[in-house]
Amino acid sequence: MLGKASARGLVGLLLVALPVSLVGWLVIWPIISAVQRTVWRASPDGAGHFDLSSYVFFFSDAYSLNNLSLTLWTTSVCAALLLVVSLPIALYLRFARGRLASYVQALAILPMFVPSVILAYALIRVLGPNGLIDLLLNAAGLPKLRTPYLTPWGPVIGLVWDNIPLTVLILLSGLGAVGNSAIEAARDVGANRRQRLWHIILPQITTSILVALSFAVLGIFSAFTLPYLLGPASPEMMGPYMQRTFRDLNDPVGAVTQAVVTFGFCIVFGLFYVRSVARNQGK
Amino acid sequence: MATLSIHAVSKIFAGDTAAVDAVSLEIADGELVCLLGPSGSGKSTLLRMVGGFEQPTVGSIAIDGQDVTRLPPEQRPTGMVFQSHALWSHMNVFNNLAFGLKLRRRPKGEIRDRVEAVLDLVGLKGYDRRMTHELSGGQQQRVALARSLILEPKILLLDEPFASLDQHLRERLREEVRDIQLRLKITTLFVTHGQDEALSMADRIVVMRNGRTEQTDRPEVVYRNPLTPFVAGFIGTMNFIEGKVETGRFRHADFAVDLPVADGPVTLAVRPEALDLVPADGVRQATVNRVTDFGTHGLVDLSLSDGTRIKSLVRRPGPFHPGQGVGLKPRAFAAFRDTVKLYGAIDAEPADQH
């Protein structure tokens, strides 16, 4: 019996060995290596020494801090807008019946299948100078609107649109767990629409909201393509900033330091996600 | 408390499917009426229309004479207990019960007193701080009942509330619910597909089939004097024997019995407890297939020569054994032609035979 149990244990270990090794090799080791590279530097004489100067520079450099605060601003605004946009869509899809709901679902999921570069190009053609909106306003004899292209709102619009599908799907799965009868029971005791949403539905999908926001925030904080193509040159989000520091300024330690700082913020959101999942499993 | 009037109510879903078809029903003050029928008979749809969760296509519903047909559930003086309990899992028992009162902005002291009182009523005193997932199925259903009762509805609606519970718990809870209903004298509409539940709890039973009412009567009348073959077959166990009436006598290939109705094909309906088994005396009318001893009585499963399977309830199963030939002696029976009742009642007690 013991032999059989040990064999089963060994098989289990073998099954998880590959993914665990891959995570160790491709995720854990680069993190350790990046942190190590930024705090343990080589002296001219070849000896290594502890050095936090790249972090001191990052946190004392106004430009770096502006970039970090722009990234935090973009992430917070995107997260808030995503919730405001995606929750009504998810609620509609959860409770609506019929053909229109299917069309709305298809539209809401569509951005998932559009590559970021195509999405950025489409947004430039619609929102950019002499884009579709400009042409329509001009045709209607109306004045031009200030384009969000190459302003902080450019990446916000693109990132929100890009993240709607995943957010809607996660919220929808949370709403699927809220039973019709639980909502009907609330109606039965006299709750109106707003009270049902606030007291019955939202408290039951808190975990889904946290998970959806964690996913969105993690993606947005380290986004590159959309901020690079739609955002301003200065200040810039951390993704383009890292790339420019590495390639244009030829400062790999500076770029890795920015990556470690970005990772530090992301891991906080990651912990939110892990905590939500753990709480959910504990129920 | 209140009366409930359902007048010619129909519910037609997309594709012209009539889930409920012109049902009318008057429920008196303090009465408990069971809607009984198989799946798809329209009983839950009818209950949900009374609760306001479905809108009737035609017809009207009135509570205490006031038309509530177009009122949403939140404005109706009804309280519903759902099959799945439908407790709010993010709230503890107290908050589940207090939610409706909080919405009505009742003072905190009153809310606390009423929650305590209703928990006492359903036998869950001291459970107010428990989360709902810490309760057993029966306790959850009691909380669901308490949640409906705490708002003192005029009409209590129960949608198969015991369906997810085991047999013992179901029997105990239905007695408790009936006791509470009688104590509060609350007008109640109860949906079930379990005939035991309907027979043991209801003041009146409405037997439904295909969205229509087949029969509305007191439980003993529905059982002993069913008006249609469907009701006869749905409530309790019934033997149906196809045959012909010729000159006032029902004739089957195996046996005959006097039946004063017009000549023609007839379905004889006999309850197992009204079908006595007698020694074959050389004429085998039926053959014993199986004998089941339930302790208090026995059930003998028999075959007629044309393959019809029938059952007889006997006080002592000892004398019977598989393969044995027996004679049949129905003491009470009814007769149907098509769906029309031609004759009789089927009231009977098992005879003290063998």
Side-chain angles (χ1 to χ4, degrees), chain A residues 181-196 199-201 203-204 283, chain B residues 48 53 72-74 78-80 82 84 86 88-91 99-100 103-104 147-148 151:
Chain A
S181 56
I183 294 160
E184 287 182 343
R187 291 188 77 185
D188 197 48
V189 300
N192 58 30
R193 267 173 204 270
R194 187 184 56 78
Q195 289 162 333
R196 293 198 294 272
H199 295 291
I200 304 298
I201 297 172
Q204 294 197 58
K283 275 181 189 172
Chain B
R48 288 173 61 77
F53 299 105
E74 49 268 39
T78 53
M80 180 121 151
F82 295 84
S84 58
W88 303 304
S89 55
H90 59 289
M91 297 181 190
F99 183 57
L103 293 178
R104 287 161 179 75
R147 184 176 62 187
S148 293
L151 297 172

Side-chain angles (χ1 to χ4, degrees), chain A residues 24-71:
Chain A
W25 178 38
L26 298 175
V27 180
I28 308 289
W29 172 244
I31 292 168
I32 295 168
S33 161
V35 174
Q36 194 186 21
R37 277 181 71 186
T38 53
V39 299
W40 193 259
R41 312 273 281 276
S43 308
D45 58 4
H49 67 282
F50 187 70
D51 185 353
L52 288 175
S53 61
S54 64
Y55 290 98
V56 172
F57 173 78
F58 183 91
F59 286 107
S60 58
D61 174 40
Y63 184 67
S64 300
L65 292 175
N66 273 348
N67 290 345
L68 180 62
S69 60
L70 175 74
T71 308

Side-chain angles (χ1 to χ4, degrees), chain B residues 306-324:
Chain B
D306 61 358
T308 304
R309 297 290 284 256
I310 56 173
K311 287 182 168 61
S312 169
L313 193 145
V314 295
R315 287 202 192 276
R316 285 183 294 277
F320 301 101
H321 54 83
Q324 180 184 358

